[in-house]
């Protein structure tokens, strides 16, 4: 990255501020739609940080996959689960929140001191490579060939698994479907599912 | 030195992700927190790849693999959440005690 030092510092500060602020918004806001859109902001800021780290291909992949696929998938899930439910209050919830905050801050302090105190040995000032795409392609097809192929199998498994898990089971009645007009044209008859009993209402034991 | 700054930023993002993972009650927000943590790991990998291994960038290879796994995880996780929502009619994490006791 041949930018001046000051430009890099200022853009790093801006991107870091955007990222931390949006991430706090994702975690702390009440409305989950705002959280989903702020998650897109986090991903875009992270892709800017990748550009500062000389990773142009990963930056483009970050925007394409995270913002274009994962974030849209999460928005779809939010709108499919469009239930405005007020969560029933759980007693002594602030203890859990306080404990979680304590654990997070403690972990941050621990890892932060580790990062600051470790003397990282930066090797001699070799210029970072500019042809990242070529080197990445050589890695993918020579010494990382097996994980690359395994990743394709994993994606296929995730695809099939997501379809199987999220599918509704429809009742297909083939004898009465020829001459009759179905009363609800945009709905398929769905097989009645036996709902699992909610824990608080009708639990048989305990 | 800039490596420390990137590492500290990744640590902060990871801790925010852990806090959201523990405290959120909406199941979709739990998935978002997991995505935040995966992105923190990616920042770490790319920072080390740039500053310590600038010639043969192996960290970027691992980052691409992590992005792949994260996409698969998001798809399967959201399918599981949809399936649970159809069965139990809620997304409250406090009521998901299928695997408990």
């Amino acid at each position: 990255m041949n930018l001046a030092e000051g430009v890099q510092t200022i853009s790093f500060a801006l991107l870091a501020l955007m990222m931390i602020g949006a991430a706090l918004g994702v975690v702390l806001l009440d409305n989950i739609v705002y959280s989903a859109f702020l998650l897109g902001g986090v991903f875009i800021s992270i892709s800017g940080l990748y550009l500062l780290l000389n990773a142009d291909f990963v930056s483009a992949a970050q925007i394409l996959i995270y913002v274009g696929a994962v974030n849209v998938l999460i928005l779809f899930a939010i709108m499919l689960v469009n239930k405005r439910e007020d969560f029933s209050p759980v007693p002594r919830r602030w203890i859990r929140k306080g404990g979680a905050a304590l654990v997070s801050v403690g972990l941050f302090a621990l890892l932060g001191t580790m990062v600051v105190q470790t003397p990282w040995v930066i090797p001699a000032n070799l210029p970072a490579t500019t042809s990242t795409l070529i080197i990445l392609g050589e890695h993918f097809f020579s010494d990382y060939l097996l994980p690359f192929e395994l990743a394709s199998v994993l994606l296929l498994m995730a695809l099939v698994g997501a379809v199987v898990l999220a599918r509704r089971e429809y009742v297909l009645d083939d004898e009465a479907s020829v001459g009759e007009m179905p009363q609800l044209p945009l709905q398929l008859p769905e097989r009645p599912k036996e709902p699992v009993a909610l824990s608080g209402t009708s639990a048989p034991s305990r | 030195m800039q490596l420390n700054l990137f590492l500290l930023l990744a640590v902060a993002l990871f801790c925010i992700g852990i806090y959201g993972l523990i405290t959120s009650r909406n199941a979709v927000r739990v998935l978002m927190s997991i995505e935040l943590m995966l992105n923190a790991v990616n920042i770490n990998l790319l920072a080390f790849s740039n500053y310590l291994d600038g010639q043969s960038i192996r960290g970027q290879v691992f980052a691409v693999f992590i992005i792949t796994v994260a996409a698969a995880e998001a798809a399967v996780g959201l399918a599981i959440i949809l399936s649970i929502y159809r069965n139990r009619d809620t997304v409250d994490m406090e009521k998901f005690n299928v695997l408990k006791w």
Side-chain angles (χ1 to χ4, degrees), chain A residues 80-81 83, chain B residues 81-91:
Chain A
L80 284 175
V81 189
K83 188 179 171 90
Chain B
I81 285 177
L82 276 186
S83 159
I84 292 180
Y85 172 69
R86 281 207 203 105
N87 275 328
R88 313 194 70 158
D89 204 27
T90 181
V91 284

Side-chain angles (χ1 to χ4, degrees), chain A residues 4 9 66 81 104 113 120 125 170 198:
Chain A
T9 309
Y66 272 111
V81 189
S104 306
T113 48
W120 303 108
N125 220 349
Y170 294 117
L198 279 179

Side-chain angles (χ1 to χ4, degrees), chain A residues 26 29-30 32 35 43 50 54-55 62 66 81 83 85 88 93 96 108 120 127 129 166 193 197 199, chain B residues 4 9 11 18 23 25-26 29 35 39 42 46 50 54-55 58 60 70 86 88-91 94 97:
Chain A
V26 168
L29 279 185
D30 277 336
I32 195 163
S35 296
F43 292 152
Y50 290 170
N54 297 314
Q62 167 92 7
Y66 272 111
V81 189
K83 188 179 171 90
E85 61 175 343
S88 58
R93 184 162 164 75
R96 300 190 204 179
F108 178 74
W120 303 108
T129 177
K193 58 177 186 269
S199 64
Chain B
N4 279 346
L9 196 64
V11 167
I18 283 183
T23 61
R25 293 186 69 179
N26 198 327
R29 201 188 295 257
E35 298 295 330
N39 273 295
N42 265 347
L46 286 188
N50 186 31
Q55 287 302 307
R58 294 190 193 86
Q60 298 193 15
R86 281 207 203 105
R88 313 194 70 158
D89 204 27
T90 181
V91 284
E94 300 282 343
N97 49 6

Side-chain angles (χ1 to χ4, degrees), chain B residues 25-84:
Chain B
R25 293 186 69 179
N26 198 327
V28 183
R29 201 188 295 257
V30 173
L31 277 185
M32 292 193 216
S33 305
I34 294 176
E35 298 295 330
L36 287 185
M37 291 164 66
L38 286 167
N39 273 295
V41 175
N42 265 347
I43 291 178
N44 237 343
L45 280 174
L46 286 188
F48 279 121
S49 157
N50 186 31
Y51 285 103
L52 305 184
D53 189 21
Q55 287 302 307
S56 65
I57 35 176
R58 294 190 193 86
Q60 298 193 15
V61 182
F62 281 95
V64 172
F65 285 139
I66 288 181
I67 288 177
T68 313
V69 173
E73 174 259 345
V76 176
L78 289 172
I80 289 174
I81 285 177
L82 276 186
S83 159
I84 292 180

Side-chain angles (χ1 to χ4, degrees), chain A:
Chain A
M1 172 81 43
N2 36 16
L3 285 176
E5 198 63 38
V7 179
Q8 284 197 35
T9 309
I10 289 174
S11 47
F12 174 79
L14 275 180
L15 287 171
L17 214 64
M18 263 174 63
M19 193 192 79
I20 293 295
L24 283 176
V26 168
V27 173
L28 296 178
L29 279 185
D30 277 336
N31 195 340
I32 195 163
V33 182
Y34 294 165
S35 296
F37 281 111
L38 280 177
L39 190 70
V42 175
F43 292 152
I44 290 175
S45 321
I46 287 176
S47 101
L49 287 173
Y50 290 170
L51 277 186
L52 281 181
L53 288 170
N54 297 314
D56 43 3
F57 174 71
V58 185
S59 165
Q62 167 92 7
I63 287 190
L64 282 178
I65 296 175
Y66 272 111
V67 184
V70 173
N71 205 7
V72 172
L73 198 65
I74 285 176
L75 276 172
F76 263 110
I78 289 171
M79 301 197 179
L80 284 175
V81 189
N82 53 358
K83 188 179 171 90
R84 294 234 168 254
E85 61 175 343
D86 297 325
F87 295 136
S88 58
V90 173
R92 291 193 294 278
R93 184 162 164 75
W94 60 272
I95 293 183
R96 300 190 204 179
K97 281 197 171 182
L102 206 66
V103 166
S104 306
V105 172
L107 191 63
F108 178 74
L110 195 68
L111 292 175
T113 48
M114 188 272 293
V115 165
V116 171
Q117 285 192 347
T118 307
W120 303 108
V121 183
I122 304 285
N125 220 349
L126 290 174
T129 177
T130 53
S131 56
T132 59
L133 198 52
I134 298 171
I135 296 180
L136 272 182
E138 284 172 353
H139 277 310
F140 276 140
F141 285 98
S142 60
D143 46 353
Y144 290 99
L145 182 62
L146 181 64
F148 186 69
E149 301 294 339
L150 280 183
S152 64
V153 178
L154 173 78
L155 280 178
L156 179 66
M157 280 162 53
L159 178 71
V160 177
V163 169
V164 168
L165 280 174
R167 183 187 53 173
R168 296 175 188 231
E169 295 194 353
Y170 294 117
V171 182
L172 293 178
D173 45 349
D174 45 356
E175 67 270 9
S177 65
V178 180
E180 297 184 2
M181 194 70 176
Q183 60 269 39
L184 290 173
L186 288 181
Q187 283 185 352
L188 280 172
E190 193 172 347
R191 178 177 297 171
K193 58 177 186 269
E194 48 279 350
V196 183
L198 279 179
S199 64
T201 56
S202 67
S205 64
R206 70 169 279 275

